[in-house]
Amino acid sequence: MFKLIRLFSALFSMSLRRSITFRTDMLFELLLTLVAAASSIAALSVVYTRTDTLGGWTPGEAIALLGTFQVISGLRTVFVEPNIEWFGEQVKNGRFDAVLVQPAPAIFLASLGACAPLSLIQVALGLAVVAFGVVQAAVALTLIGVVAWMVLVVTATVIMWATRVTIAAVVFWAFGLSLDVVYDAIWQFARYPVQIYRQPLQLIFTYVLPVALVATVPTDILARGGGLIAVPVAIVIAAAACAAAGFVGAQACAATPARPVRSGGRGRWSSSARLHTRPAGSRVLRCPPHRCATDGSC
């Protein structure tokens, strides 16, 4: 575990140094994030010109929910999407083979091996939106509520990572199938309280697809005094989602088809998923370490 933390820190540091080299990108990232946040708040304001509450949520509470959604979306953009958006293409063209022979868990390198640190601006702005919403709602925050909100944000992030990895792993069995658009469409439902949806959507988004855990449940506890029973339930769901992602990832790696990788100069061909078991002294021609393959430059 500590080795993975050190590896993750090193990868994040490398990505951060590469990102801050392009300061103009940082400026545009800040500008785009501000425009997106302002547009979302403006859209909510238009809705509340026609009603006092939205599914029982006041304007301030809905803004706090929107901020929570932005925080988790920002974490997704920082840590998960820079890897998953290239995942299917890497599997198809064989560059994923380099991940399988690295001395670290393949699922870790494939899903968390690269970062987009500039998108932390979205996380910071999301926190500001949450604070603005809480002030607008005139909510008296409690220490337990804030801690529960933080725990639920972490569990929602873990669930997001696990479900994203599970969906992306489908490419191992169906090269031509990409469910990214479906996942993104479902993800957008989380920016509004699940109470605004009619049955059976509300039931599905609460108990089948964990959309409610992304923003509705954390904000409900923070700004509306929701029940704390949601915290252990969310932790259990996050653990189950991680276990499912690990199982699917292991099955996907085991199902990796044999690819034409020449080894030992003997004209023999071997499955890239089993290169690490070859006898000592054999030479394998493969891509450089994983990070050079993530951005498609290898």
Side-chain angles (χ1 to χ4, degrees), residues 1-201:
M1 176 61 70
F2 290 107
K3 290 183 179 180
L4 289 180
I5 294 176
R6 291 176 57 189
L7 176 60
F8 179 77
S9 300
L11 293 172
F12 181 82
S13 176
M14 181 179 64
S15 298
L16 179 61
R17 289 196 299 269
R18 183 172 59 247
S19 297
I20 62 178
T21 302
F22 307 97
R23 299 181 181 180
T24 305
D25 289 350
M26 184 182 302
L27 178 61
F28 277 105
E29 183 73 25
L30 176 60
L31 180 62
L32 291 175
T33 304
L34 287 172
V35 171
S39 301
S40 299
I41 295 176
L44 272 180
S45 300
V46 170
V47 172
Y48 278 103
T49 59
R50 299 290 183 178
T51 181
D52 294 330
T53 61
L54 186 62
W57 291 65
T58 64
E61 294 168 351
I63 291 174
L65 185 147
L66 179 63
T68 303
F69 175 79
Q70 289 182 339
V71 168
I72 301 174
S73 295
L75 293 173
R76 175 188 171 188
T77 305
V78 173
F79 297 111
V80 179
E81 289 305 318
N83 303 280
I84 299 300
E85 65 182 356
W86 298 100
F87 186 75
E89 189 64 28
Q90 286 182 347
V91 173
K92 294 175 185 177
N93 59 29
R95 288 174 180 158
F96 187 74
D97 298 351
V99 178
L100 298 174
V101 296
Q102 299 303 314
I107 191 173
F108 173 83
L109 292 177
S111 61
L112 296 172
C115 304
L118 291 184
S119 295
L120 286 173
I121 295 174
Q122 182 178 352
V123 177
L125 188 59
L127 292 173
V129 173
V130 171
F132 176 72
V134 168
V135 172
Q136 286 291 106
V139 175
L141 296 180
T142 63
L143 179 61
I144 295 178
V146 173
V147 172
W149 179 84
M150 295 173 62
V151 172
L152 287 172
V153 167
V154 172
T155 56
T157 304
V158 172
I159 293 171
M160 173 270 296
W161 168 83
T163 53
R164 192 72 178 91
V165 169
T166 303
I167 293 297
V170 173
V171 73
F172 281 96
W173 293 279
F175 279 6
L177 180 63
S178 177
L179 299 177
D180 292 352
V181 175
V182 177
Y183 188 91
D184 290 338
I186 296 175
W187 181 260
Q188 295 304 317
F189 284 103
R191 68 169 58 243
Y192 302 109
V194 294
Q195 288 84 358
I196 71 172
Y197 304 113
R198 295 183 177 181
Q199 299 293 356
L201 278 181

Side-chain angles (χ1 to χ4, degrees), residues 208-275:
V208 180
L209 302 175
V211 172
L213 292 176
V214 175
T216 300
V217 173
T219 311
D220 183 58
I221 291 181
L222 177 68
R224 308 179 74 211
L228 294 177
I229 187 63
V231 176
V233 172
I235 293 175
V236 171
I237 294 175
C242 286
F247 175 78
V248 172
Q251 295 299 314
C253 291
T256 303
R259 295 190 183 276
V261 179
R262 191 179 296 274
S263 62
R266 303 172 184 172
R268 296 168 59 187
W269 305 96
S270 168
S271 170
S272 60
R274 299 181 178 86
L275 289 178

